[in-house]
Amino acid sequence: MHHQLDDCIFCQIAQGNAPASKIHEDELTLTMLDIFPATPGHVLIISKAHFDDIFTASPQVLAQIAINSSKIAKALQAVTQADGLGIYQLNKAAAGQTVFHYHMHLIPQFTNQNIGIHSKQAADPQQLEAMAQQLRQALNE
Ligand code: 5GP
Ligand code: ZN
């Protein structure tokens, strides 16, 4: 595939060269669980091709990620029963971006629970896979 960076972890995942708890894949995007979840069900939608951020991402990728976000939002709602859903998208270090490959965060949120977008606690891989399986099923219903 073209437009990949060798030293980019999200490019490695998009190419199938690094593992991820995948939920959905299409020509332009890949949806997976964040390995440092802010809350259970923290999802990332990434582009398959490498774009640093919103300033360089193609309109097609931005549109597909927006379309997919509403479907994933409903699956997250069904599975987590969260009170709300935070959607975050950080561009450049000054805004808190830490992986410089375009992506959107979907984070289930609960009343009176204050969270940061970035957790320091890695998820248990088995719990991630169980969550991914529930979300894949909810997406297909
Ligand atoms: P950013 O700060 O760039 O908006 O978010 C990057 C996110 O990617 C963070 O929430 C971080 O936990 C997540 N992340 C970093 N490396 C990996 C990885 O290898 N796999 C997955 N699934 N998520 C990752
Ligand atoms: Zn990349």
Side-chain angles (χ1 to χ4, degrees):
M1 197 187 286
H2 57 292
H3 294 132
Q4 306 291 338
L5 294 187
D6 286 343
D7 59 354
C8 173
I9 180 61
F10 286 0
C11 283
Q12 296 303 316
I13 290 170
Q15 292 174 102
N17 294 332
S21 296
K22 294 182 197 172
I23 293 158
H24 173 80
E25 217 174 327
D26 54 44
E27 200 186 332
L28 296 176
T29 76
L30 188 152
T31 301
M32 64 183 173
L33 289 171
D34 195 303
I35 49 166
F36 291 87
T39 67
H42 182 166
V43 159
L44 301 174
I45 310 179
I46 74 173
S47 57
K48 280 196 171 167
H50 184 90
F51 299 101
D52 288 347
D53 51 39
I54 197 169
F55 299 105
T56 50
S58 71
Q60 291 80 4
V61 155
L62 296 174
Q64 191 64 55
I65 289 178
I67 290 164
N68 292 359
S69 71
S70 83
K71 295 179 186 156
I72 303 292
K74 287 166 193 154
L76 278 172
Q77 187 69 31
V79 169
T80 68
Q81 306 286 309
D83 301 313
L85 181 71
I87 296 192
Y88 306 95
Q89 200 281 301
L90 311 176
N91 300 284
K92 302 194 183 288
Q97 186 177 8
T98 59
V99 175
F100 298 93
H101 175 129
Y102 183 81
H103 59 275
M104 174 187 280
H105 297 256
L106 289 86
I107 304 182
Q109 292 185 223
F110 293 86
T111 306
N112 298 328
Q113 181 194 47
N114 280 321
I115 57 137
I117 300 174
H118 297 115
S119 167
K120 291 183 188 75
Q121 179 92 42
D124 169 52
Q126 267 181 311
Q127 283 181 1
L128 273 192
E129 199 36 59
M131 174 63 76
Q133 201 188 323
Q134 286 185 76
L135 289 170
R136 286 193 292 267
Q137 192 178 329
L139 255 191
N140 290 324
E141 275 165 2

